[in-house]
Amino acid sequence: DTGVSQDPRHKITKRGQNVTFRCDPISEHNRLYWYRQTLGQGPEFLTYFQNEAQLEKSRLLSDRFSAERPKGSFSTLEIQRTEQGDSAMYLCASSLEANTEAFFGQGTRLTVV
Amino acid sequence: AQRVTQPEKLLSVFKGAPVELKCNYSYSGSPELFWYVQYSRQRLQLLLRHISRESIKGFTADLNKGETSFHLKKPFAQEEDSAMYYCALMNNNAGNMLTFGGGTRLMVKP
């Protein structure tokens, strides 16, 4: 599968723990996006990267959240001191350049207990 | 602020019946709209975008700026059309990020 891949697919963690998710975009895609989707809702934008630069962050992204894309290829999303409200599907998407189709990964489902 | 509304959470039709999934938006600029589909246990994927004016899998969607709508239509539903459908609006001023509606689950009964 040469699409966007995300790891892990599922994560169960205790409240207060830190978690990190990884996204590998389609090769040569410059733009990488993170979205969050809670049950019964559509995906909500969190942040995006143009190569290694993080250019936009949603107000949904509290200071417990941090995202990186150090070499302009894969990206990580870390959540510190997880809360039950963080339970959601975290989706990654990539696109070749501006105004082109965004391809989504299968997501990481986080459950905070 | 931009917003996308899909008023129906669930739409159930019989095979062969026409389908219309509603989508309304609010956006101060020139809108660019998309429909994404998610089949069972598969990833979200693009179905169509309004600027391409294509018909994909028999689906079409027309942008109506007067009514701020982008409804998805298909004249004859097939069982394999059963899926979650999301309408999305691109923000060209914020990295082309997408604002999604809440989604409509389409169930096509035999």
Side-chain angles (χ1 to χ4, degrees):
Chain A
D1 186 355
T2 56
V4 178
S5 63
Q6 293 187 243
D7 182 71
R9 295 287 307 279
H10 304 274
K11 178 71 177 177
I12 300 174
T13 190
K14 291 184 178 179
R15 191 171 48 187
Q17 297 294 304
N18 299 344
V19 293
T20 300
F21 311 140
R22 178 181 170 121
C23 170
D24 286 89
I26 294 172
S27 180
E28 298 181 354
H29 276 197
N30 297 321
R31 293 192 168 212
L32 187 148
Y33 303 83
W34 285 99
Y35 289 83
R36 181 172 69 185
Q37 186 174 21
T38 52
L39 203 61
Q41 304 295 320
E44 296 173 292
F45 170 77
L46 292 178
T47 188
Y48 99 96
F49 292 83
Q50 170 79 32
N51 298 312
E52 67 274 11
Q54 188 175 14
L55 297 184
E56 191 79 24
K57 289 195 286 188
S58 162
R59 278 173 284 182
L60 291 175
L61 215 63
S62 76
D63 56 7
R64 296 185 297 106
F65 288 68
S66 62
E68 293 182 343
R69 194 182 183 198
K71 297 181 180 178
S73 56
F74 74 91
S75 175
T76 58
L77 177 68
E78 181 184 16
I79 309 174
Q80 296 181 326
R81 305 181 303 281
T82 52
E83 302 172 355
Q84 286 190 318
D86 297 330
S87 295
M89 177 74 84
Y90 289 84
L91 297 168
C92 177
S94 71
S95 66
L96 183 59
E97 56 189 30
N99 210 29
T100 59
E101 179 181 351
F103 293 84
F104 282 81
Q106 292 194 298
T108 295
R109 181 170 295 283
L110 172 67
T111 303
V112 181
V113 297
Chain B
Q2 60 190 69
R3 188 171 182 174
V4 177
T5 303
Q6 294 178 251
E8 301 142 328
K9 285 287 188 187
L10 173 66
L11 185 62
S12 183
V13 302
F14 285 102
K15 177 183 171 181
V19 170
E20 182 179 51
L21 290 86
K22 291 183 168 52
C23 172
N24 289 90
Y25 68 91
S26 62
Y27 185 55
S28 57
S30 183
E32 188 164 350
L33 287 139
F34 303 77
W35 277 97
Y36 278 80
V37 61
Q38 188 167 27
Y39 300 103
S40 179
R41 296 177 186 169
Q42 294 188 25
R43 65 188 68 198
L44 202 58
Q45 58 187 283
L46 179 66
L47 180 61
L48 55 82
R49 61 192 298 181
H50 90 271
I51 62 170
S52 64
R53 303 184 70 83
E54 291 177 302
S55 172
I56 307 294
K57 299 184 179 183
F59 285 97
T60 59
D62 290 319
L63 177 61
N64 186 323
K65 291 186 179 181
E67 296 183 356
T68 60
S69 68
F70 188 57
H71 303 326
L72 184 69
K73 300 177 184 179
K74 184 168 183 177
F76 308 104
Q78 304 299 315
E79 289 181 70
E80 55 265 31
D81 296 329
S82 297
M84 280 295 298
Y85 290 80
Y86 294 95
C87 183
L89 173 66
M90 179 181 282
N91 187 334
N92 292 316
N93 296 321
N96 299 137
M97 61 86 125
L98 297 168
T99 298
F100 286 87
T104 298
R105 178 170 296 282
L106 175 63
M107 291 179 56
V108 182
K109 297 176 286 188

